[in-house]
Amino acid sequence: MAFVFYHKFMWLKSRSRQAERDRDLAEEANRLFKQEFGDKIEGLQLELDQSKKQRYYLEQELKKERERKSSHHIDSTTGDKKPPPPQNDFRQQMDDIKKELQAVKEENCKLKIVLDEKENINSDMSLSKTDKEQNLIVNSEPSICRLCEEEQSLTRSKKLCKNCKEIFCEDCLTNELPLPSSINPVQVCNACHSTLLQQYSTSPA
C-alpha cells in the first residue's frame, strides 16, 4: 500500500511540474504574440494617420475646385469674357478627386477593422488567462451546506466542486486534486477528495 501511495505521489508531482512547464511556455508564447502584434498595430496606426492626412488634403483640393467652379460661374454671369476651362477636363479632375477620396475612406475602414480585431484578440487572451487562474465562485442565496449541514454555513461563501459540480460552503472545499480531465490540481469537495484518493490508491500502479 505504501508503494502505491508513493507511486501516486510521484505521479502527482510529475504532473505538477509538467503543468508548470506548460504554463511557462504559454506565458512566453503570449508575450511573443503581444510583442509581434503590438508592432503591427503600431504600424497600422501610423498608416491610418497618414490616410487621414491624405484624406484631409484631398478634401481641401475638392473644396478648392468647388470654389474655383463657383468663381468661374460668377465671372460668366457678370460679363467676364475670359474663356472658361474645358468642361470635360474639369469634370474628369473632379471625378479623379472623388475616386481618390473614396479609396482613402475604404482604406480607413479596412485599417479600423484590423485594429479592432487585434484589440479583440488581446482582450480575449487576457480574459481567458484570468478565467483559468480564478476559481468559480457561485453567488447564491444563503443556504445550509448540504455536506456539513452546519447552521454557520448560511453565512459562508459558496463554491463549486470541479468534480461533482455541486455547490458547497468554502469550509467543505479546502482540498485540491488533479482530475483526469485537468492538468493542474483543481478544487474539490471533501467527499470527492476522499473518493478520488481511494480510487487512486486502488488503481493499478
Side-chain angles (χ1 to χ4, degrees), residues 14-189:
S14 174
R15 288 287 298 274
S16 178
R17 289 179 178 175
Q18 181 63 35
E20 290 179 358
R21 288 194 292 268
D22 293 342
R23 182 190 62 190
D24 293 339
L25 289 174
E27 290 179 352
E28 178 65 15
N30 185 33
R31 184 186 67 80
L32 293 175
F33 178 85
K34 288 184 177 180
Q35 181 179 356
E36 177 183 357
F37 281 98
D39 295 339
K40 291 184 178 179
I41 291 174
E42 184 177 355
L44 290 173
Q45 187 63 47
L46 291 175
E47 291 182 12
L48 181 60
D49 293 339
Q50 292 176 356
S51 297
K52 288 181 179 179
K53 291 179 180 179
Q54 184 179 3
R55 177 183 175 181
Y56 175 78
Y57 171 77
L58 292 174
E59 287 176 345
Q60 293 300 315
E61 289 295 320
L62 181 61
K63 182 179 179 181
K64 290 178 181 179
E65 288 296 331
R66 288 175 177 172
E67 290 176 353
R68 193 176 297 118
K69 181 180 179 182
S70 176
S71 176
H72 286 307
H73 178 70
I74 293 174
D75 291 340
S76 63
T77 57
T78 56
D80 192 351
K81 301 302 182 179
K82 291 181 180 180
Q87 190 69 17
N88 292 336
D89 292 345
F90 177 76
R91 288 181 178 178
Q92 182 65 37
Q93 203 172 24
M94 291 288 290
D95 291 339
D96 292 341
I97 292 176
K98 289 180 179 179
K99 289 179 181 179
E100 291 182 8
L101 184 59
Q102 182 63 29
V104 171
K105 289 181 179 179
E106 292 176 357
E107 186 66 20
N108 285 342
C109 291
K110 292 179 181 178
L111 290 173
K112 187 176 184 303
I113 291 173
V114 173
L115 288 174
D116 290 341
E117 289 177 352
K118 302 308 178 187
E119 291 177 358
N120 290 335
I121 291 174
N122 291 334
S123 176
D124 291 342
M125 289 183 67
S126 299
L127 290 175
S128 177
K129 184 178 180 181
T130 302
D131 292 341
K132 289 179 181 178
E133 291 176 350
Q134 292 180 346
N135 289 327
L136 179 61
I137 299 178
V138 181
N139 295 323
S140 59
E141 296 181 357
S143 60
I144 295 178
C145 175
R146 288 184 293 176
L147 188 59
C148 65
E149 297 183 348
E150 294 180 358
E151 293 185 1
Q152 292 86 347
S153 65
L154 276 170
T155 58
R156 295 175 189 155
S157 298
K158 303 299 188 301
K159 296 183 180 180
L160 185 70
C161 173
K162 298 298 180 66
N163 185 53
C164 65
K165 308 301 182 184
E166 295 292 338
I167 300 172
F168 305 103
C169 70
E170 58 185 357
D171 287 356
C172 293
L173 278 158
T174 58
N175 297 297
E176 291 185 351
L177 276 179
L179 302 178
S181 60
S182 65
I183 297 176
N184 297 322
V186 295
Q187 202 167 37
V188 296
C189 66

Side-chain angles (χ1 to χ4, degrees), residues 3-4 7-8 203-205:
F3 174 77
V4 174
H7 179 75
K8 285 299 178 182
S203 62

